[in-house]
Amino acid sequence: MSDVSVVILAGGMGTRLAEETSLRPKPMVEISGKPLLWHLMNIYSADGFDDFVLACGYKSEFIKEYFRSLYIHNSDLVIDVRNGSCDPVHSTAPPWRITIVDTGLQTMTGGRLLRLRNRMGNRTFMATYGDGLSDVDVNALLEFHRSHKRLATLTAVRPPARFGGLVLKDSRVCQFTEKSQLNEGWINGGFFVFEPGIFDYLYDDDTILERSPLERLAADGQLMAFRHTGFWQPMDTLREKQFLERLWESGNAPWKIW
């Protein structure tokens, strides 16, 4: 197990996916029978990162109950009905150590991180959002972060291409072009690495990580970008959930690196 912990921001309400999130927190929305959070944690675990801190808020009880039962659900059981004993055997549960922290219902992304300051201590840690999947090489990301010795690294990705293009001459359609991410700009895809100095850029529960903190880090020369040209996909809408499910059921889900 690596000594670098992974913080997952799992407390938002996910209002754009209300079809699912009215019942459960967004990271617990299932992709083919498994919560998105399970898929996400497996990405890190495949690269040897098994210590997780889940910054929860909205409907956090769903997350607590799921992980409380995960060991039992992944084990054979010997049950003695005479005395009520229940002994798990032959477990296939993942080797994860999970700290679940209630960081408030209305707390913003930067505020959720700030509430973890004492838990993270004086050490490097990784962080990401609980609503997106990628085939990012987490070890390469961490190596890149350590090489430049700044306070923060974000993973820069191309936004998913949503539409094909048209080639026009005057008003005449000359050609259709395929969807492509190559012509899109870089955006923040999450998958961060932070030094503890990041907490000096966070103020209170209302701090939005993506605004003043990252902007100030950039202005101070303390923010670097790890370019990832592979798969990256958020799950903000029902359509994107269904897209991720089709990929998983095809047997060729790009994020399945374990």
Side-chain angles (χ1 to χ4, degrees):
M1 178 185 293
S2 170
D3 61 351
V4 176
S5 296
V6 180
V7 172
I8 300 179
L9 300 172
M13 295 186 181
T15 54
R16 285 186 290 175
L17 193 58
E19 301 94 335
E20 295 278 354
T21 55
S22 61
L23 302 175
R24 69 193 85 185
K26 190 176 180 182
M28 295 304 292
V29 173
E30 292 185 352
I31 304 297
S32 297
K34 296 287 188 181
L36 185 142
L37 189 54
W38 177 90
H39 292 267
L40 181 58
M41 291 167 72
N42 268 294
I43 294 169
Y44 282 97
S45 187
D47 279 343
F49 301 94
D50 293 316
D51 188 83
F52 297 96
V53 180
L54 308 184
C56 299
Y58 176 68
K59 295 187 180 294
S60 61
E61 64 273 14
F62 283 81
I63 295 175
K64 292 174 182 177
E65 287 300 322
Y66 177 79
F67 287 108
R68 184 176 181 270
S69 304
L70 191 61
Y71 181 75
I72 292 293
H73 290 172
N74 285 272
S75 302
D76 296 335
L77 299 178
V78 177
I79 301 172
D80 191 328
V81 297
R82 295 169 298 180
N83 58 26
S85 66
C86 178
D87 299 316
V89 294
H90 304 131
S91 177
T92 58
W96 300 341
R97 183 179 185 274
I98 305 167
T99 302
I100 301 174
V101 182
D102 186 344
T103 54
L105 184 61
Q106 302 293 338
T107 310
M108 298 291 101
T109 48
R112 293 192 193 282
L113 275 183
L114 183 59
R115 287 202 183 198
L116 301 176
R117 183 172 198 163
N118 292 335
R119 294 180 181 272
M120 303 317 297
N122 190 32
R123 57 195 175 99
T124 304
F125 65 96
M126 292 190 283
T128 195
Y129 306 114
D131 61 357
L133 297 172
S134 177
D135 60 355
V136 61
D137 185 332
V138 180
N139 276 309
L141 167 63
L142 182 60
E143 182 180 356
F144 171 78
H145 173 80
R146 287 174 165 161
S147 72
H148 61 62
K149 303 186 186 304
R150 267 66 164 208
L151 290 180
T153 300
L154 61 75
T155 298
V157 300
R158 303 287 194 183
R162 298 178 186 274
F163 306 102
L166 296 175
V167 177
L168 303 178
K169 185 175 182 179
D170 297 325
S171 297
R172 183 172 63 88
V173 176
C174 300
Q175 183 182 350
F176 286 89
T177 60
E178 294 295 327
K179 297 178 183 180
S180 174
Q181 291 179 303
L182 298 180
N183 294 325
E184 304 287 343
W186 294 98
I187 64 170
N188 168 24
F191 293 93
F192 301 97
V193 187
F194 292 132
E195 297 300 322
I198 181 70
F199 293 113
D200 294 335
Y201 289 78
L202 309 174
Y203 304 115
D204 54 29
D205 281 359
D206 294 328
T207 302
I208 299 173
L209 175 65
E210 301 76 22
R211 294 184 184 171
S212 176
L214 291 187
E215 290 168 357
R216 288 182 56 223
L217 282 162
D220 291 347
Q222 291 295 327
L223 178 62
M224 300 291 284
F226 176 78
R227 288 183 175 88
H228 175 62
T229 57
F231 177 83
W232 176 83
Q233 176 65 55
M235 189 186 68
D236 290 326
T237 65
L238 184 59
R239 179 180 179 180
E240 289 171 338
K241 173 189 182 294
Q242 292 167 345
F243 172 65
L244 290 169
E245 287 188 317
R246 288 195 300 272
L247 286 176
W248 183 264
E249 291 165 5
S250 74
N252 295 305
W255 69 90
K256 191 180 186 302
I257 58 177
W258 59 91

